[in-house]
Amino acid sequence: MDKLLKLLNTNARLTDAQMAVMLNATEEEIRAAVARLEQEGVVRGYKPLIDWEKTGEEVVTAIIELRIAPSKDEGFDGIAKTIMSFEEVEGLSLMSGGHDLMVTVNGRSFKDVAMFVAKRLSSLDGVLGTATHFVLKKYKERGVLFTDEEQDERGNL
Amino acid sequence: MNYDKLLNRTLAEMKPSGIRKFFDIAAEMEEVISLSVGEPDFQTPWHIRQEGIHTLEKGRTWYSPNAGLLALREAISGYIRRHSGVTYDPKTEVLVTVGGSEAIDLCFRTLVTPGDEVLVPEPSFVCYDPLTRMAGGVPVPVVTRAEDAFRLKAEAVAAAITPRTKLLVLPFPNNPTGAIMPREELEALADVLRGTDIMVLSDEIYGELTYGREHVSIASLPGMQERTVLVSGFSKAFAMTGWRLGYACGPAPVMQMLTKLHQYAIMCAPTTAQYAAIEAMTGGDADVEKMRDEYDMRRRFIVDELNKLGLTCFEPEGAFYVFPSIQATGLSSEEFCRRLLEEKHVAVVPGNAFGDSGEGFVRISYCYSLKHITEALRRIGAFLKENGLCQ
């Protein structure tokens, strides 16, 4: 059901009936396939893409690179478990390249985020160094443009 | 100066395109949401664009041979052999043109002698009738019907043939109806044509865009290649409308004349576009498949929604249009489109722009994102409801 995933990834709010029409399946088949995807953990959840800029709410996002000394027993997983339990942490990935973990953090202000890094992340055992990058402007997220839509230049036959 | 006297009479008396008219009104309005264009919303696949860019960087900006770059003609020949099973000699049977449109015009001007009759299925794209007239020919409409899934019936063609019939236009998959011609219908048509000297202008510009079953070219049927000029191009399948590139393939004696006329009128098709097109012909199949899958999802969605709104819609199997009936509303096509535009700022094209038999229908394009289509359908629904036009 590769096509179903693609469709959900474009717009997860389509109804089962709409997806059934578009994929030439029955509603029942779609419902079962979606249930299976959820159960198998292929689909982990559904969320809107929010452009916080437009809400007036102050949301500061930072991407933090962490260099880690992996522990003998658990490698990177032990410290990753600790970091992902922080509710400020939006995303966490193990990286190839110059640093080891990449943490995405949301806060209400620059200071908020900087303090979080200083107090909660830097102080963890095994953290060798951090580099914090603040997001200044979001152009595109998960394939969706966060700028105003381009004018449709078509208009001929 | 009295321009009225100067102008070519046939041209001056010709009706302007009914599609154009609605675009012009829509262009004047604010916040119009359109379902009217006849070109892909996709950009030309990057690797094809890149080929164009590379040749510009290398400075390959000269004329090409009149018939087109030989490498492109070879690629076109290979492409058609691969997809339709028909073999054309790239040296004598393939001509690269400025869009499929030029190829269509060349066919009329090459084959029509003043007074000749040209059979034009209706509804169909707006150019066949005027171009036939400009060549001095007499267009003879052959009506296709919703109850026949807008297929061209062999009996209707047989009934329209006279001793003056020179050419049959075969525009399938069809704009505006989305109809296709399945093999059995083509067989029946070929049976009618084989015993005659009538040529077929098979406009297969939407040939790659069929859903569910493969497009069949009439040229692939026994005895038909010798009486067919196959016209197609890059615009629709490869999202290359602005490159203006198409082609015609047919019997050498006919192609020789098309090429002669093309040489005098055009010289050659744009060279940059030709280089890019080689890439499309040789490495573009996966792009076409991807776009086709996307169109197919939108097609199913839009047909289902329109039927739910009470605008009954036969299931189109090709191109990227749906052609719902608006007869239940009691409005004429033009009235429906004008009011929908004025009241809800949604632009669709009245069916009668594609011939009188398109009256009672509108053409809706699904060359738009699902989000855009959803919003347009919501407005159409509100339009129908507020005016008590359908349930």
mmCIF file of all heavy atoms in Angstrom, chain B residues 43-81:
data_model
loop_
_atom_site.group_PDB
_atom_site.id
_atom_site.type_symbol
_atom_site.label_atom_id
_atom_site.label_comp_id
_atom_site.label_asym_id
_atom_site.label_seq_id
_atom_site.Cartn_x
_atom_site.Cartn_y
_atom_site.Cartn_z
ATOM 1 N N GLN B 43 6.112 20.912 -13.333
ATOM 2 C CA GLN B 43 7.178 21.522 -14.115
ATOM 3 C C GLN B 43 7.807 20.437 -14.978
ATOM 4 O O GLN B 43 7.738 19.257 -14.643
ATOM 5 C CB GLN B 43 8.243 22.101 -13.184
ATOM 6 C CG GLN B 43 7.723 23.264 -12.364
ATOM 7 C CD GLN B 43 8.713 23.689 -11.289
ATOM 8 O OE1 GLN B 43 9.513 22.895 -10.825
ATOM 9 N NE2 GLN B 43 8.629 24.948 -10.891
ATOM 10 N N THR B 44 8.439 20.840 -16.057
ATOM 11 C CA THR B 44 9.201 19.887 -16.863
ATOM 12 C C THR B 44 10.201 19.174 -15.950
ATOM 13 O O THR B 44 10.899 19.838 -15.182
ATOM 14 C CB THR B 44 9.983 20.625 -17.964
ATOM 15 O OG1 THR B 44 9.085 21.438 -18.700
ATOM 16 C CG2 THR B 44 10.679 19.647 -18.889
ATOM 17 N N PRO B 45 10.240 17.831 -15.998
ATOM 18 C CA PRO B 45 11.178 17.105 -15.125
ATOM 19 C C PRO B 45 12.594 17.682 -15.229
ATOM 20 O O PRO B 45 13.029 18.056 -16.319
ATOM 21 C CB PRO B 45 11.110 15.676 -15.666
ATOM 22 C CG PRO B 45 9.740 15.576 -16.251
ATOM 23 C CD PRO B 45 9.430 16.923 -16.815
ATOM 24 N N TRP B 46 13.266 17.727 -14.111
ATOM 25 C CA TRP B 46 14.534 18.448 -14.025
ATOM 26 C C TRP B 46 15.573 17.957 -15.030
ATOM 27 O O TRP B 46 16.238 18.752 -15.689
ATOM 28 C CB TRP B 46 15.084 18.418 -12.597
ATOM 29 C CG TRP B 46 16.444 19.020 -12.523
ATOM 30 C CD1 TRP B 46 17.617 18.397 -12.229
ATOM 31 C CD2 TRP B 46 16.792 20.394 -12.803
ATOM 32 N NE1 TRP B 46 18.663 19.287 -12.306
ATOM 33 C CE2 TRP B 46 18.189 20.522 -12.656
ATOM 34 C CE3 TRP B 46 16.056 21.525 -13.178
ATOM 35 C CZ2 TRP B 46 18.872 21.714 -12.848
ATOM 36 C CZ3 TRP B 46 16.738 22.721 -13.378
ATOM 37 C CH2 TRP B 46 18.127 22.816 -13.218
ATOM 38 N N HIS B 47 15.683 16.636 -15.175
ATOM 39 C CA HIS B 47 16.754 16.141 -16.071
ATOM 40 C C HIS B 47 16.518 16.575 -17.519
ATOM 41 O O HIS B 47 17.467 16.714 -18.289
ATOM 42 C CB HIS B 47 16.910 14.620 -15.942
ATOM 43 C CG HIS B 47 15.713 13.829 -16.377
ATOM 44 N ND1 HIS B 47 15.654 13.134 -17.548
ATOM 45 C CD2 HIS B 47 14.487 13.644 -15.795
ATOM 46 C CE1 HIS B 47 14.480 12.535 -17.657
ATOM 47 N NE2 HIS B 47 13.754 12.826 -16.600
ATOM 48 N N ILE B 48 15.264 16.811 -17.864
ATOM 49 C CA ILE B 48 14.960 17.291 -19.222
ATOM 50 C C ILE B 48 15.328 18.769 -19.340
ATOM 51 O O ILE B 48 15.962 19.207 -20.307
ATOM 52 C CB ILE B 48 13.467 17.058 -19.550
ATOM 53 C CG1 ILE B 48 13.147 15.555 -19.502
ATOM 54 C CG2 ILE B 48 13.105 17.663 -20.905
ATOM 55 C CD1 ILE B 48 11.684 15.215 -19.660
ATOM 56 N N ARG B 49 14.957 19.548 -18.307
ATOM 57 C CA ARG B 49 15.333 20.968 -18.304
ATOM 58 C C ARG B 49 16.845 21.121 -18.379
ATOM 59 O O ARG B 49 17.371 21.987 -19.067
ATOM 60 C CB ARG B 49 14.817 21.635 -17.023
ATOM 61 C CG ARG B 49 13.365 22.073 -17.133
ATOM 62 C CD ARG B 49 12.976 22.889 -15.916
ATOM 63 N NE ARG B 49 12.563 22.025 -14.823
ATOM 64 C CZ ARG B 49 12.493 22.417 -13.550
ATOM 65 N NH1 ARG B 49 12.836 23.643 -13.213
ATOM 66 N NH2 ARG B 49 12.073 21.590 -12.626
ATOM 67 N N GLN B 50 17.523 20.235 -17.621
ATOM 68 C CA GLN B 50 18.981 20.318 -17.552
ATOM 69 C C GLN B 50 19.619 20.125 -18.929
ATOM 70 O O GLN B 50 20.585 20.792 -19.263
ATOM 71 C CB GLN B 50 19.471 19.228 -16.600
ATOM 72 C CG GLN B 50 20.781 19.533 -15.966
ATOM 73 C CD GLN B 50 21.086 18.541 -14.853
ATOM 74 O OE1 GLN B 50 20.565 17.421 -14.832
ATOM 75 N NE2 GLN B 50 21.911 18.941 -13.931
ATOM 76 N N GLU B 51 19.040 19.213 -19.723
ATOM 77 C CA GLU B 51 19.572 19.016 -21.074
ATOM 78 C C GLU B 51 19.468 20.315 -21.876
ATOM 79 O O GLU B 51 20.368 20.677 -22.627
ATOM 80 C CB GLU B 51 18.802 17.911 -21.803
ATOM 81 C CG GLU B 51 19.340 16.539 -21.542
ATOM 82 C CD GLU B 51 20.842 16.435 -21.758
ATOM 83 O OE1 GLU B 51 21.320 16.727 -22.873
ATOM 84 O OE2 GLU B 51 21.557 16.077 -20.793
ATOM 85 N N GLY B 52 18.338 21.010 -21.725
ATOM 86 C CA GLY B 52 18.174 22.296 -22.401
ATOM 87 C C GLY B 52 19.237 23.280 -21.939
ATOM 88 O O GLY B 52 19.872 23.964 -22.762
ATOM 89 N N ILE B 53 19.450 23.332 -20.627
ATOM 90 C CA ILE B 53 20.434 24.259 -20.070
ATOM 91 C C ILE B 53 21.837 23.926 -20.598
ATOM 92 O O ILE B 53 22.576 24.808 -21.030
ATOM 93 C CB ILE B 53 20.412 24.197 -18.522
ATOM 94 C CG1 ILE B 53 19.074 24.732 -18.009
ATOM 95 C CG2 ILE B 53 21.570 24.997 -17.925
ATOM 96 C CD1 ILE B 53 18.802 24.438 -16.543
ATOM 97 N N HIS B 54 22.173 22.631 -20.602
ATOM 98 C CA HIS B 54 23.507 22.227 -21.080
ATOM 99 C C HIS B 54 23.762 22.670 -22.507
ATOM 100 O O HIS B 54 24.840 23.164 -22.829
ATOM 101 C CB HIS B 54 23.666 20.706 -20.980
ATOM 102 C CG HIS B 54 23.928 20.242 -19.582
ATOM 103 N ND1 HIS B 54 23.791 18.945 -19.177
ATOM 104 C CD2 HIS B 54 24.302 20.936 -18.482
ATOM 105 C CE1 HIS B 54 24.071 18.841 -17.889
ATOM 106 N NE2 HIS B 54 24.377 20.042 -17.446
ATOM 107 N N THR B 55 22.766 22.491 -23.369
ATOM 108 C CA THR B 55 23.012 22.853 -24.773
ATOM 109 C C THR B 55 23.145 24.365 -24.918
ATOM 110 O O THR B 55 23.887 24.835 -25.769
ATOM 111 C CB THR B 55 21.903 22.356 -25.707
ATOM 112 O OG1 THR B 55 20.693 23.011 -25.363
ATOM 113 C CG2 THR B 55 21.718 20.874 -25.613
ATOM 114 N N LEU B 56 22.456 25.113 -24.069
ATOM 115 C CA LEU B 56 22.629 26.569 -24.096
ATOM 116 C C LEU B 56 24.035 26.930 -23.627
ATOM 117 O O LEU B 56 24.701 27.788 -24.211
ATOM 118 C CB LEU B 56 21.590 27.256 -23.216
ATOM 119 C CG LEU B 56 20.168 27.302 -23.774
ATOM 120 C CD1 LEU B 56 19.227 27.914 -22.754
ATOM 121 C CD2 LEU B 56 20.114 28.092 -25.076
ATOM 122 N N GLU B 57 24.492 26.238 -22.576
ATOM 123 C CA GLU B 57 25.847 26.493 -22.076
ATOM 124 C C GLU B 57 26.895 26.197 -23.143
ATOM 125 O O GLU B 57 27.881 26.905 -23.267
ATOM 126 C CB GLU B 57 26.119 25.627 -20.841
ATOM 127 C CG GLU B 57 25.556 26.240 -19.565
ATOM 128 C CD GLU B 57 25.712 25.323 -18.358
ATOM 129 O OE1 GLU B 57 26.108 24.149 -18.540
ATOM 130 O OE2 GLU B 57 25.415 25.788 -17.256
ATOM 131 N N LYS B 58 26.637 25.134 -23.884
ATOM 132 C CA LYS B 58 27.606 24.768 -24.931
ATOM 133 C C LYS B 58 27.447 25.646 -26.164
ATOM 134 O O LYS B 58 28.208 25.518 -27.120
ATOM 135 C CB LYS B 58 27.402 23.304 -25.319
ATOM 136 C CG LYS B 58 27.933 22.340 -24.271
ATOM 137 C CD LYS B 58 27.782 20.906 -24.755
ATOM 138 C CE LYS B 58 27.789 19.942 -23.590
ATOM 139 N NZ LYS B 58 26.829 18.840 -23.792
ATOM 140 N N GLY B 59 26.433 26.482 -26.150
ATOM 141 C CA GLY B 59 26.265 27.391 -27.283
ATOM 142 C C GLY B 59 25.684 26.738 -28.525
ATOM 143 O O GLY B 59 25.882 27.207 -29.639
ATOM 144 N N ARG B 60 24.932 25.656 -28.345
ATOM 145 C CA ARG B 60 24.315 25.002 -29.517
ATOM 146 C C ARG B 60 23.031 25.733 -29.891
ATOM 147 O O ARG B 60 21.926 25.228 -29.685
ATOM 148 C CB ARG B 60 23.992 23.560 -29.181
ATOM 149 C CG ARG B 60 25.240 22.730 -29.054
ATOM 150 C CD ARG B 60 24.839 21.344 -28.628
ATOM 151 N NE ARG B 60 25.895 20.392 -28.962
ATOM 152 C CZ ARG B 60 25.910 19.143 -28.498
ATOM 153 N NH1 ARG B 60 24.938 18.707 -27.730
ATOM 154 N NH2 ARG B 60 26.891 18.339 -28.840
ATOM 155 N N THR B 61 23.196 26.903 -30.406
ATOM 156 C CA THR B 61 22.024 27.773 -30.611
ATOM 157 C C THR B 61 21.736 28.025 -32.084
ATOM 158 O O THR B 61 21.164 29.035 -32.440
ATOM 159 C CB THR B 61 22.250 29.113 -29.900
ATOM 160 O OG1 THR B 61 23.506 29.661 -30.331
ATOM 161 C CG2 THR B 61 22.284 28.949 -28.385
ATOM 162 N N TRP B 62 22.131 27.085 -32.933
ATOM 163 C CA TRP B 62 21.875 27.274 -34.356
ATOM 164 C C TRP B 62 20.561 26.642 -34.773
ATOM 165 O O TRP B 62 19.935 25.934 -34.003
ATOM 166 C CB TRP B 62 23.024 26.656 -35.159
ATOM 167 C CG TRP B 62 24.334 27.319 -34.871
ATOM 168 C CD1 TRP B 62 24.736 28.549 -35.308
ATOM 169 C CD2 TRP B 62 25.407 26.815 -34.067
ATOM 170 N NE1 TRP B 62 25.989 28.830 -34.833
ATOM 171 C CE2 TRP B 62 26.431 27.793 -34.069
ATOM 172 C CE3 TRP B 62 25.607 25.627 -33.349
ATOM 173 C CZ2 TRP B 62 27.631 27.628 -33.390
ATOM 174 C CZ3 TRP B 62 26.804 25.459 -32.677
ATOM 175 C CH2 TRP B 62 27.806 26.449 -32.694
ATOM 176 N N TYR B 63 20.212 26.870 -36.069
ATOM 177 C CA TYR B 63 19.093 26.127 -36.645
ATOM 178 C C TYR B 63 19.437 24.642 -36.605
ATOM 179 O O TYR B 63 20.607 24.268 -36.686
ATOM 180 C CB TYR B 63 18.915 26.459 -38.135
ATOM 181 C CG TYR B 63 18.467 27.855 -38.458
ATOM 182 C CD1 TYR B 63 19.161 28.612 -39.410
ATOM 183 C CD2 TYR B 63 17.327 28.412 -37.884
ATOM 184 C CE1 TYR B 63 18.742 29.880 -39.766
ATOM 185 C CE2 TYR B 63 16.906 29.684 -38.230
ATOM 186 C CZ TYR B 63 17.616 30.421 -39.173
ATOM 187 O OH TYR B 63 17.206 31.657 -39.530
ATOM 188 N N SER B 64 18.425 23.816 -36.528
ATOM 189 C CA SER B 64 18.651 22.382 -36.707
ATOM 190 C C SER B 64 18.286 22.073 -38.164
ATOM 191 O O SER B 64 17.785 22.944 -38.871
ATOM 192 C CB SER B 64 17.759 21.587 -35.753
ATOM 193 O OG SER B 64 16.433 21.540 -36.255
ATOM 194 N N PRO B 65 18.529 20.854 -38.618
ATOM 195 C CA PRO B 65 17.988 20.488 -39.941
ATOM 196 C C PRO B 65 16.479 20.765 -39.976
ATOM 197 O O PRO B 65 15.828 20.729 -38.933
ATOM 198 C CB PRO B 65 18.267 18.993 -40.035
ATOM 199 C CG PRO B 65 19.410 18.750 -39.104
ATOM 200 C CD PRO B 65 19.270 19.753 -37.994
ATOM 201 N N ASN B 66 15.932 21.015 -41.142
ATOM 202 C CA ASN B 66 14.511 21.374 -41.259
ATOM 203 C C ASN B 66 13.605 20.368 -40.566
ATOM 204 O O ASN B 66 12.678 20.740 -39.845
ATOM 205 C CB ASN B 66 14.091 21.472 -42.725
ATOM 206 C CG ASN B 66 14.779 22.637 -43.437
ATOM 207 O OD1 ASN B 66 15.420 22.470 -44.463
ATOM 208 N ND2 ASN B 66 14.649 23.829 -42.876
ATOM 209 N N ALA B 67 13.872 19.100 -40.767
ATOM 210 C CA ALA B 67 12.982 18.074 -40.211
ATOM 211 C C ALA B 67 13.232 17.849 -38.725
ATOM 212 O O ALA B 67 12.502 17.110 -38.078
ATOM 213 C CB ALA B 67 13.156 16.769 -40.970
ATOM 214 N N GLY B 68 14.259 18.488 -38.173
ATOM 215 C CA GLY B 68 14.601 18.291 -36.765
ATOM 216 C C GLY B 68 15.918 17.540 -36.645
ATOM 217 O O GLY B 68 16.360 16.894 -37.612
ATOM 218 N N LEU B 69 16.544 17.622 -35.471
ATOM 219 C CA LEU B 69 17.796 16.889 -35.237
ATOM 220 C C LEU B 69 17.578 15.408 -35.539
ATOM 221 O O LEU B 69 16.580 14.828 -35.077
ATOM 222 C CB LEU B 69 18.215 17.041 -33.770
ATOM 223 C CG LEU B 69 18.560 18.444 -33.271
ATOM 224 C CD1 LEU B 69 18.634 18.435 -31.739
ATOM 225 C CD2 LEU B 69 19.874 18.914 -33.867
ATOM 226 N N LEU B 70 18.511 14.822 -36.265
ATOM 227 C CA LEU B 70 18.341 13.405 -36.591
ATOM 228 C C LEU B 70 18.276 12.562 -35.312
ATOM 229 O O LEU B 70 17.482 11.628 -35.207
ATOM 230 C CB LEU B 70 19.465 12.922 -37.516
ATOM 231 C CG LEU B 70 19.318 11.468 -37.969
ATOM 232 C CD1 LEU B 70 18.001 11.233 -38.717
ATOM 233 C CD2 LEU B 70 20.505 11.040 -38.832
ATOM 234 N N ALA B 71 19.088 12.945 -34.323
ATOM 235 C CA ALA B 71 19.091 12.182 -33.067
ATOM 236 C C ALA B 71 17.713 12.211 -32.413
ATOM 237 O O ALA B 71 17.268 11.230 -31.824
ATOM 238 C CB ALA B 71 20.135 12.749 -32.112
ATOM 239 N N LEU B 72 17.013 13.322 -32.541
ATOM 240 C CA LEU B 72 15.670 13.410 -31.965
ATOM 241 C C LEU B 72 14.687 12.580 -32.786
ATOM 242 O O LEU B 72 13.847 11.863 -32.236
ATOM 243 C CB LEU B 72 15.205 14.874 -31.885
ATOM 244 C CG LEU B 72 13.766 15.068 -31.406
ATOM 245 C CD1 LEU B 72 13.531 14.418 -30.040
ATOM 246 C CD2 LEU B 72 13.411 16.552 -31.337
ATOM 247 N N ARG B 73 14.818 12.679 -34.100
ATOM 248 C CA ARG B 73 13.902 11.880 -34.935
ATOM 249 C C ARG B 73 14.101 10.392 -34.670
ATOM 250 O O ARG B 73 13.149 9.617 -34.630
ATOM 251 C CB ARG B 73 14.118 12.207 -36.418
ATOM 252 C CG ARG B 73 13.475 13.543 -36.803
ATOM 253 C CD ARG B 73 13.710 13.875 -38.257
ATOM 254 N NE ARG B 73 15.033 14.435 -38.473
ATOM 255 C CZ ARG B 73 15.742 14.295 -39.600
ATOM 256 N NH1 ARG B 73 15.251 13.583 -40.608
ATOM 257 N NH2 ARG B 73 16.919 14.854 -39.721
ATOM 258 N N GLU B 74 15.335 9.995 -34.453
ATOM 259 C CA GLU B 74 15.604 8.586 -34.120
ATOM 260 C C GLU B 74 14.995 8.232 -32.767
ATOM 261 O O GLU B 74 14.411 7.164 -32.594
ATOM 262 C CB GLU B 74 17.121 8.326 -34.112
ATOM 263 C CG GLU B 74 17.698 8.224 -35.503
ATOM 264 C CD GLU B 74 19.228 8.256 -35.549
ATOM 265 O OE1 GLU B 74 19.850 8.548 -34.505
ATOM 266 O OE2 GLU B 74 19.780 8.014 -36.624
ATOM 267 N N ALA B 75 15.119 9.175 -31.830
ATOM 268 C CA ALA B 75 14.571 8.921 -30.497
ATOM 269 C C ALA B 75 13.041 8.824 -30.561
ATOM 270 O O ALA B 75 12.440 7.981 -29.895
ATOM 271 C CB ALA B 75 15.003 10.038 -29.546
ATOM 272 N N ILE B 76 12.420 9.680 -31.360
ATOM 273 C CA ILE B 76 10.956 9.644 -31.511
ATOM 274 C C ILE B 76 10.537 8.323 -32.137
ATOM 275 O O ILE B 76 9.604 7.651 -31.674
ATOM 276 C CB ILE B 76 10.472 10.840 -32.366
ATOM 277 C CG1 ILE B 76 10.670 12.159 -31.609
ATOM 278 C CG2 ILE B 76 9.011 10.661 -32.781
ATOM 279 C CD1 ILE B 76 10.479 13.410 -32.466
ATOM 280 N N SER B 77 11.259 7.938 -33.184
ATOM 281 C CA SER B 77 10.944 6.687 -33.857
ATOM 282 C C SER B 77 11.041 5.517 -32.877
ATOM 283 O O SER B 77 10.154 4.656 -32.832
ATOM 284 C CB SER B 77 11.913 6.506 -35.036
ATOM 285 O OG SER B 77 11.809 5.214 -35.555
ATOM 286 N N GLY B 78 12.105 5.523 -32.066
ATOM 287 C CA GLY B 78 12.283 4.455 -31.081
ATOM 288 C C GLY B 78 11.189 4.459 -30.036
ATOM 289 O O GLY B 78 10.673 3.418 -29.632
ATOM 290 N N TYR B 79 10.796 5.641 -29.615
ATOM 291 C CA TYR B 79 9.768 5.808 -28.594
ATOM 292 C C TYR B 79 8.429 5.253 -29.090
ATOM 293 O O TYR B 79 7.736 4.520 -28.376
ATOM 294 C CB TYR B 79 9.638 7.294 -28.272
ATOM 295 C CG TYR B 79 8.625 7.642 -27.214
ATOM 296 C CD1 TYR B 79 8.956 7.594 -25.861
ATOM 297 C CD2 TYR B 79 7.328 8.031 -27.571
ATOM 298 C CE1 TYR B 79 8.030 7.930 -24.897
ATOM 299 C CE2 TYR B 79 6.398 8.358 -26.611
ATOM 300 C CZ TYR B 79 6.745 8.312 -25.273
ATOM 301 O OH TYR B 79 5.824 8.642 -24.318
ATOM 302 N N ILE B 80 8.082 5.597 -30.333
ATOM 303 C CA ILE B 80 6.797 5.132 -30.876
ATOM 304 C C ILE B 80 6.827 3.609 -31.067
ATOM 305 O O ILE B 80 5.842 2.926 -30.776
ATOM 306 C CB ILE B 80 6.480 5.852 -32.209
ATOM 307 C CG1 ILE B 80 6.283 7.343 -31.953
ATOM 308 C CG2 ILE B 80 5.240 5.247 -32.869
ATOM 309 C CD1 ILE B 80 6.087 8.161 -33.191
ATOM 310 N N ARG B 81 7.965 3.093 -31.515
ATOM 311 C CA ARG B 81 8.066 1.645 -31.694
ATOM 312 C C ARG B 81 7.862 0.948 -30.353
ATOM 313 O O ARG B 81 7.126 -0.023 -30.218
ATOM 314 C CB ARG B 81 9.427 1.268 -32.289
ATOM 315 C CG ARG B 81 9.458 -0.160 -32.805
ATOM 316 C CD ARG B 81 10.759 -0.560 -33.522
ATOM 317 N NE ARG B 81 11.441 0.552 -34.149
ATOM 318 C CZ ARG B 81 12.640 0.992 -33.763
ATOM 319 N NH1 ARG B 81 13.269 0.427 -32.746
ATOM 320 N NH2 ARG B 81 13.221 2.011 -34.377
#
